[in-house]
Amino acid sequence: MKLHIRLVVAGLLLAVQGMAGAATPATVPDTIEQRVAACIACHGREGATTNAGYFPRLAGKPAGYLFNQLVSFRDGRRFNSDMAYMVQHLSDAYLREMAEYFAGLQLPYPPISPTSDATPEQLQRGRQLVREGDAARGIPACVQCHGAALTGVQPAIPGLLGLPRLYVSSQLGAWLTNERHALPPDCMADIGRRMSTADINAVASWLAVQPMPADTKPAASLPAPLPVTCGGMPK
């Protein structure tokens, strides 16, 4: 009987020790990769979302652009409840560190499907606006600011390829409806208000089916000055 009691007590002690060990939290490395892990839930692994989602790709975007957007979410120029909640108490230095982390990631883009439910006329209109603009309505071509390859321009102009169609159309629509703002002078707000809903759908539809070029990195500079003055670009 005493032996049985001893065995039971020993078993209980082992169980308690096991529980205590399990309760000890694992050491989490304090790295920028670990601290931005929350971004993965929406933006995909390391910020490289697929073209099927709504959320934009972060990996490889110019650091200046990413920083400007994080600050805009924090300061109320852009509106998304999840983003505002995550960055509302973060300093400029912390936001810049996050931006530089994602900008430094060079990850492959997922395959882009060339199929679209847009009509040939819509796609042609989208191509025209992207490549040539609409001078009569004061709409510059997208390539004049976002680069001939549409992969963005350093230090603060984003690429337009490899993004979900829904995301592109929603953001252009936000400029049109005055729901999105940037540092003054807010060039995209001025351009967006000159575009119609049909223009926005055409541009988003055409961009969404364009293949990525061999070099997906943002251009170092533009061959000519910007057609409009933008507050997000350094003077």
Side-chain angles (χ1 to χ4, degrees):
M1 185 66 177
K2 291 182 178 180
L3 178 60
H4 175 71
I5 293 174
R6 290 195 189 101
L7 290 174
V8 170
V9 171
L12 289 172
L13 287 172
L14 289 173
V16 169
Q17 291 173 351
M19 292 173 63
T24 302
T27 301
V28 178
D30 184 18
T31 63
I32 186 61
E33 292 87 350
Q34 185 274 325
R35 283 183 267 137
V36 301
C39 305
I40 295 173
C42 295
H43 293 277
R45 183 183 66 85
E46 294 180 298
T49 190
T50 68
N51 197 45
Y54 168 80
F55 300 95
R57 178 186 176 96
L58 302 179
K61 291 284 180 67
Y65 171 76
L66 294 175
F67 172 73
N68 287 343
Q69 303 320 300
L70 289 169
V71 172
S72 289
F73 280 119
R74 185 193 65 190
D75 296 349
R77 285 184 294 273
R78 290 190 68 177
F79 308 103
N80 177 282
S81 57
D82 292 332
M83 285 297 303
Y85 176 80
M86 292 180 66
V87 302
Q88 61 183 328
H89 300 302
L90 301 184
S91 66
D92 280 4
Y94 198 164
L95 296 181
R96 195 174 297 280
E97 185 180 5
M98 293 171 63
E100 290 174 352
Y101 167 75
F102 283 112
L105 297 176
Q106 298 300 323
L107 303 172
Y109 281 75
I112 295 175
S113 172
T115 60
S116 174
D117 59 3
T119 66
E121 292 76 18
Q122 287 174 315
L123 293 174
Q124 176 57 29
R125 177 58 176 165
R127 181 192 181 282
Q128 179 186 22
L129 287 168
V130 171
R131 293 293 183 192
E132 303 169 22
D134 188 334
R137 293 163 57 200
I139 302 174
C142 299
V143 294
Q144 290 181 267
C145 297
H146 295 269
L150 296 169
T151 56
V153 181
Q154 295 289 3
I157 299 178
L160 300 179
L161 301 183
L163 291 167
R165 172 181 172 182
L166 177 59
Y167 176 77
V168 175
S169 62
S170 69
Q171 296 310 304
L172 286 173
W175 296 115
L176 173 64
T177 58
N178 202 34
E179 296 175 2
R180 178 174 172 176
H181 306 274
L183 293 168
D186 195 344
C187 57
M188 275 306 303
D190 292 337
I191 294 169
R193 283 192 288 268
R194 298 170 191 166
M195 299 178 71
S196 66
T197 301
D199 291 335
I200 289 171
N201 288 334
V203 168
S205 297
W206 188 83
L207 289 172
V209 297
Q210 300 312 301
M212 296 301 303
D215 184 1
T216 62
K217 295 180 180 179
S221 62
L222 286 168
L226 290 171
V228 291
T229 304
C230 294
M233 287 290 285
K235 295 179 175 59

